[in-house]
Amino acid sequence: MAYEVEAPKYVRLAQTIQRRIEDGTYAPGTRVPSENQLVQAFGMSRPTVVRALDLLKRDGWLESRQGYGTIVRGRPAVVEEKDRRGLEALVRDESRTPGRLVDVGEAVVPARVASALGLAKSAKAVRRRFLVEEDGEAVELVSSYFPAGLVDGTDLAAGDALTSGMREHLEARKKVRFDHVTERVSARLPDAAEAELLGLPDGVPVLSVLVVACDASGRAMQVSDVLLPADRQELEDTYRLN
């Protein structure tokens, strides 16, 4: 049985304000509604509104200006960069990508993936694993998981390489729309199967980029765990100083 895990109220409010910034309702340079107005408009408590605004300020969507209120900054440049990186796992055409489809089928979902999909611990879901290679060397292992009901009527459970990206395939077959991507980066040691596929000796860690693709409501439609050999990576990021 699957259990839905709803995001906290302040996160959902922050996502709503973020979407309004992106669609132009709250244009860059303008003031967002006051805390009192947001409390009245969304029926949420003041602490919830304050936490949502603080989250958006921290991530660069909003800023406070003395004597003027909270101002819209627009879509942060760092978000654009992260979206492009996460988007690669969603738009990759397997049939044209050097590498191979390792396996497709039902698998136990790792805890952090289950949490993102709103599934119970040790639940199962359809998984596609694709090994990306460059000049014959494994450089990336992508394990993509899909919630129950989303795979029916698609080729995601088939053993052949897709001739389009998974996002395009799902949007065409299921008439859904991907809205935003969240990435969570961590480091860990690979399990034996992952190390063998990536050609890693004992003790070499991997970078895990958990790519959570959601619709406009925040529902996760696909979660991809992208593993990168840590000894072959150099990551660079840019962020604003407030």
Side-chain angles (χ1 to χ4, degrees):
M1 178 182 294
Y3 296 88
E4 292 296 329
V5 179
E6 191 171 45
K9 287 184 178 180
Y10 78 94
V11 173
R12 286 184 277 135
L13 177 57
Q15 290 171 337
T16 298
I17 296 173
Q18 178 183 317
R19 288 194 291 272
R20 293 189 179 186
I21 294 172
E22 292 188 300
D23 68 18
T25 302
Y26 301 150
T30 63
R31 285 185 292 183
V32 297
S34 67
E35 291 178 9
N36 285 336
Q37 290 172 324
L38 291 172
V39 166
Q40 294 296 320
F42 293 98
M44 295 185 178
S45 68
R46 183 178 297 278
T48 297
V49 169
V50 171
R51 288 190 72 184
L53 294 176
D54 285 345
L55 180 61
L56 291 166
K57 291 173 187 176
R58 185 199 69 188
D59 289 346
W61 295 87
L62 304 174
E63 67 175 323
S64 294
R65 290 185 186 174
Q66 187 69 30
Y68 197 70
T70 301
I71 308 300
V72 176
R73 297 182 69 174
R75 187 176 179 83
V78 64
V79 173
E80 296 284 2
E81 177 61 28
K82 287 184 177 179
D83 278 355
R84 285 194 292 271
R85 193 175 65 211
L87 190 61
E88 185 177 355
L90 306 179
V91 303
R92 178 180 285 124
D93 182 338
E94 294 174 346
S95 67
R96 296 186 178 184
T97 300
R100 59 188 173 90
L101 190 62
V102 176
D103 58 57
V104 180
E106 194 173 63
V108 174
V109 181
R112 63 200 298 251
V113 176
S115 176
L117 286 174
L119 299 177
K121 185 178 180 180
S122 300
K124 291 186 176 182
V126 170
R127 179 186 68 185
R128 292 182 69 87
R129 286 205 301 177
F130 192 89
L131 185 67
V132 181
E133 299 175 333
E134 290 182 3
D135 299 324
E137 180 182 50
V139 295
E140 188 175 318
L141 178 62
V142 184
S143 299
S144 297
Y145 301 82
F146 307 89
L150 200 62
V151 174
D152 295 342
T154 74
D155 294 333
L156 294 174
D160 298 323
L162 293 177
T163 56
S164 66
M166 285 178 276
R167 173 187 175 182
E168 181 182 349
H169 187 76
L170 276 170
E171 288 185 337
R173 293 291 184 91
K174 303 297 289 189
K175 307 304 179 186
V176 295
R177 182 179 180 275
F178 285 67
D179 180 77
H180 58 278
V181 173
T182 299
E183 293 183 16
R184 303 166 190 168
V185 182
S186 60
R188 64 174 174 84
L189 289 174
D191 62 31
E194 293 166 345
E196 182 178 0
L197 286 167
L198 288 168
L200 298 177
D202 291 343
V204 175
V206 292
L207 292 179
S208 170
V209 183
L210 195 71
V211 183
V212 184
C214 302
D215 61 15
S217 72
R219 176 175 65 104
M221 295 191 293
Q222 173 182 336
V223 176
S224 295
D225 189 14
V226 181
L227 297 187
L228 308 166
D231 62 344
R232 306 170 199 165
Q233 305 301 316
E234 181 177 342
L235 300 181
E236 180 176 330
D237 203 353
T238 302
Y239 56 92
R240 289 173 172 162
L241 297 176
N242 292 319

